[in-house]
Amino acid sequence: MTVARYSEIGFMIPASVIVGYLLGLLADHFLHTHWIYLVGIIFGAVAGFVSMIKRALASSKDVESEESEENEEGKPDDSGGNGPNAR
């Protein structure tokens, strides 16, 4: 996993919370309320965690597939010989 993927996961939750907060403030402004921003913060946090978990699971699958490809490259072939024409 590269550094870019780790940093992306680290910024995912705060960015989602900020977007939820701003959307909640916007809704509060237009609806003349003072509590919807809290719903936006909670929704943003939940969305950020879900996105982070999906990204982490996808990354772990990528790592597993890379490891299995490396293991298959090191295996001898099923012919039992040392070359293509071995008997």
Side-chain angles (χ1 to χ4, degrees):
M1 183 177 239
T2 63
V3 175
R5 285 188 182 176
Y6 284 125
S7 63
E8 181 181 349
I9 290 173
F11 283 108
M12 205 171 293
I13 294 174
S16 298
V17 170
I18 290 170
V19 168
Y21 172 71
L22 293 175
L23 290 175
L25 279 179
L26 187 66
D28 279 337
H29 176 74
F30 284 114
L31 299 174
H32 304 290
T33 61
H34 300 288
W35 57 271
I36 297 178
Y37 76 95
L38 294 172
V39 175
I41 290 173
I42 293 169
F43 182 75
V46 169
F49 275 110
V50 168
S51 180
M52 182 192 68
I53 290 169
K54 285 183 179 180
R55 202 55 72 109
L57 290 175
S59 296
S60 69
K61 287 181 183 178
D62 290 343
V63 170
E64 288 176 3
S65 67
E66 288 174 3
E67 288 176 356
S68 66
E69 288 174 2
E70 289 175 2
N71 289 339
E72 289 177 2
E73 290 175 0
K75 288 183 181 178
D77 58 352
D78 292 334
S79 64
N82 290 333
N85 296 327
R87 293 180 193 225

